[in-house]
Amino acid sequence: FHHTTSAACCCSKTRSGEKYTDPFKLGWRDLKDLYEDIRKELVISTTELKEMSEYYFDGKGKAFRPIIVVLMARACNIHHNNSRDVQADQRSIALIAEMIHTASLVHDDVIDDASSRRGKHTVNKIWGEKKAVLAGDLILSAASIALARIGNTTVISILTQVIEDLVRGEFLQLGSKENENERFAHYLEKTFKKTASLIANSCKAVSVLGC
């Protein structure tokens, strides 16, 4: 976003002279207590399972996806009725997106036999692969319950597609193509399904909720 060459305009201003606004600062006001609210969705009576499921919701993630979601929600709401507020259901989509993403990380670490993430040991390395799979499943089920609570069938359909794409993307990652052109197309499809689908469909969901 920032221009660095001497011929370009100042890195702190747009071409019209307006200053850039840090998107994380702009979006974070709608995500106060994000991880605390996510942990409230993880209603678990078993101490060990609760600890495993909450392990990555420690507030140390970038919250990249929730930020994009609330910024899209705000943009849609301003465009629709000049409202600068993010609706409660739209904010819920931001939480759900982070939960789906985190569940996929837990499962990815099992598949990749990863030993560290975000500067600490992975769930599978601490508790074992079998328990890690169950922890990821539980996070995903909690996200599904939160999604159902919104009660919009179109939004439910949109975000259910994300879960299907994640599985298909993981399968694509396990394979490859010999032909160079096919290999690149394979890579693009895998990356969309594993990463971009969640971002795109979460933004689509908040736009539906914003009419």
Side-chain angles (χ1 to χ4, degrees):
F1 289 95
H2 289 183
H3 298 282
T4 55
T5 63
S6 58
C9 57
C10 174
C11 68
S12 64
K13 296 182 179 181
T14 63
R15 295 185 187 280
S16 63
E18 294 179 60
K19 288 186 177 180
Y20 285 118
T21 300
D22 184 332
F24 282 88
K25 289 182 180 178
L26 183 63
W28 198 253
R29 70 185 72 174
D30 299 309
L31 294 175
K32 184 181 178 182
D33 301 324
L34 168 70
Y35 293 107
E36 182 181 334
D37 290 342
I38 288 175
R39 288 193 293 270
K40 288 177 182 176
E41 295 289 346
L42 300 170
V43 183
I44 308 163
S45 57
T46 307
T47 303
E48 185 181 35
L49 189 53
K50 181 178 177 64
E51 187 178 355
M52 292 166 60
S53 301
E54 294 181 352
Y55 185 65
Y56 287 143
F57 297 117
D58 55 5
K60 295 181 181 178
K62 297 183 293 293
F64 177 67
R65 289 150 192 81
I67 289 288
I68 290 179
V69 171
V70 295
L71 290 179
M72 175 59 80
R74 188 185 290 229
C76 289
N77 296 347
I78 288 174
H79 179 73
H80 177 61
N81 58 12
N82 205 31
S83 170
R84 293 184 174 273
D85 296 324
V86 172
Q87 301 169 20
D89 283 347
Q90 289 175 320
R91 185 180 183 276
S92 292
I93 296 296
L95 271 68
I96 292 164
E98 186 71 356
M99 293 170 77
I100 293 174
H101 170 61
T102 302
S104 75
L105 296 184
V106 176
H107 286 159
D108 274 356
D109 289 343
V110 173
I111 292 170
D112 299 336
D113 194 26
S115 58
S116 66
R117 181 178 290 280
R118 296 176 181 171
K120 61 183 185 179
H121 293 304
T122 55
V123 173
N124 51 294
K125 285 300 176 185
I126 298 174
W127 287 281
E129 291 185 354
K130 292 180 180 179
K131 289 183 177 180
V133 169
L134 295 174
D137 290 347
L138 192 143
I139 296 168
L140 200 55
S141 68
S144 299
I145 291 170
L147 178 60
R149 201 160 55 236
I150 292 174
N152 185 305
T153 54
T154 302
V155 168
I156 291 171
S157 178
I158 290 168
L159 285 181
T160 301
Q161 181 63 49
V162 170
I163 299 172
E164 179 185 338
D165 285 344
L166 281 169
V167 175
R168 291 182 181 275
E170 199 63 64
F171 264 87
L172 286 169
Q173 183 165 301
L174 295 174
S176 186
K177 299 290 183 181
E178 292 299 323
N179 179 276
E180 185 176 346
N181 290 332
E182 288 183 356
R183 190 161 62 244
F184 188 62
H186 181 93
Y187 167 78
L188 289 178
E189 185 181 1
K190 181 271 296 181
T191 303
F192 174 80
K193 290 184 182 302
K194 282 200 65 177
T195 303
S197 173
L198 175 58
I199 298 172
N201 283 299
S202 297
C203 288
K204 186 176 181 179
V206 293
S207 72
V208 169
L209 290 170
C211 299

